[in-house]
Amino acid sequence: MENTDLASQIEGARAYDSLFVPALFGQWASVLSQKLDLSSKLSVLDVACGTGILAREIFRSLEKSGRVVGLDPNLGMLAVAEEHESRIEWKQGVAESLPFDSNVFDMVLCQFGLMFFEDSQAAIKEFLRVLKPNGVLTLAVWDSIDNIPGYQTEHEIIKNIAGEDAAHAVAVPFNMGNKTKLQDLLVKAGATNVKVETHRGVARFPDISTMVNAELRGWLPIMGIQLDESVIQEILLEAESEMSKYTSIEKTVEFEITAHIATATN
């Protein structure tokens, strides 16, 4: 059973890696790394590392002379991360209880993971605990869904057809979009020198169906919501019409997506 579960996790991680990393996450790894002073021999922890796009970017920037650790609760994600780069330390664990001693990392990074933690304040306190004195914490979270046109349109379609519960689940990744609340969360957790900036990127999906199906058949079941096939087909049909304004001549989907990047020290 355990081998079957792991195989399923790896399959899901590969699907995530092939769709969401190029569509959303890959571009932000370079944005975060460019904001950091990546001198040699630094020790860096990437929390909620997924398949490791940010950890690999940092590893390359350090010219392989520092220590980079990627941590994630999902063994499938870590297995795929290991396939990409075996010289990085990949470790299973959760943000709220980091499996490390205090004062061991020069930097702690978390790219688009904070929104999903059970206790975000406890997680930030853990980030600060494992940082060395004057260590740097850098977090990236999505802006509010109301400020991201493609996802706002998709959200409205799902809300109108599938109801409030499904719409709420779709909006979860954007629940840290208020800059003031994000800054207050960091300060209350004990962070100092907190700074939050908004950066702009572009979401790119192969087509409307791929983007929306990822929500309906991938994300919503993870959130405990199973839609009837008839409802799924109704949403997909409406999306093809309402989201056509985001498609190119080649039928790819492109729209502006904004994220907040917070930096702080301990």
Side-chain angles (χ1 to χ4, degrees):
M1 180 65 72
E2 289 184 0
N3 289 337
T4 302
D5 290 344
L6 179 57
S8 178
Q9 288 183 20
I10 292 173
E11 181 182 0
R14 285 180 176 146
Y16 162 95
D17 194 56
S18 64
L19 177 61
F20 288 108
V21 170
L24 296 174
F25 302 121
Q27 63 192 295
W28 296 98
S30 60
V31 174
L32 262 69
S33 65
Q34 289 169 12
K35 292 180 67 65
L36 302 173
D37 179 13
L38 293 171
S39 57
S40 61
K41 297 184 180 179
L42 291 177
S43 56
V44 182
L45 172 63
D46 177 16
V47 181
C49 64
T51 54
I53 182 64
L54 177 57
R56 296 198 304 275
E57 181 76 21
I58 298 300
F59 187 71
R60 286 191 293 268
S61 298
L62 290 175
E63 297 182 348
K64 308 175 184 64
S65 62
R67 178 194 181 197
V68 180
V69 181
L71 180 132
D72 201 276
N74 187 290
L75 286 174
M77 292 287 190
L78 295 172
V80 175
E82 174 81 18
E83 292 173 354
H84 281 298
E85 179 54 78
S86 61
R87 291 169 294 180
I88 293 174
E89 298 175 45
W90 305 108
K91 191 172 184 67
Q92 186 181 30
V94 297
E96 295 88 344
S97 181
L98 296 176
F100 306 104
D101 293 334
S102 299
N103 308 320
V104 292
F105 291 101
D106 297 294
M107 294 181 181
V108 173
L109 315 175
C110 183
Q111 177 172 274
F112 305 116
L114 187 66
M115 307 87 73
F116 306 113
F117 300 152
E118 291 186 8
D119 188 334
S120 55
Q121 190 168 94
I124 294 171
K125 287 181 178 179
E126 277 290 273
F127 298 167
L128 298 173
R129 179 185 66 80
V130 301
L131 277 171
K132 296 176 183 178
N134 300 314
V136 176
L137 171 62
T138 303
L139 307 170
V141 300
W142 296 123
D143 196 357
S144 167
I145 196 170
D146 294 334
N147 297 327
I148 301 176
Y151 276 114
Q152 196 275 337
T153 302
E154 181 192 65
H155 178 260
E156 286 300 312
I157 294 169
I158 292 173
K159 179 181 178 181
N160 292 337
I161 296 174
E164 292 285 352
D165 289 347
H168 175 73
V170 169
V172 165
F174 309 94
N175 64 18
M176 291 281 181
N178 186 303
K179 290 174 68 174
T180 301
K181 289 183 178 179
L182 176 60
Q183 180 155 351
D184 289 346
L185 179 66
L186 284 158
V187 171
K188 288 178 181 177
T192 59
N193 302 315
V194 178
K195 184 178 181 180
V196 182
E197 298 178 339
T198 301
H199 291 256
R200 301 184 183 280
V202 179
R204 294 183 176 88
F205 288 89
D207 50 60
I208 294 171
S209 178
T210 299
M211 175 183 169
V212 180
N213 263 309
E215 298 281 2
L216 305 181
R217 304 184 193 275
W219 178 246
L220 289 185
I222 290 174
M223 297 295 289
I225 296 176
Q226 298 282 349
L227 299 180
D228 291 340
E229 185 62 29
S230 60
V231 175
I232 290 176
Q233 292 303 320
E234 185 178 355
I235 292 171
L236 289 172
L237 184 64
E238 184 71 8
E240 289 290 345
S241 172
E242 292 298 315
M243 298 183 69
S244 61
K245 56 191 172 184
Y246 307 120
T247 58
S248 66
I249 295 175
E250 294 79 16
K251 300 300 181 182
T252 59
V253 177
E254 296 188 6
F255 53 89
E256 184 177 85
I257 190 164
T258 47
H260 304 316
I261 298 179
T263 57
T265 61
N266 62 345

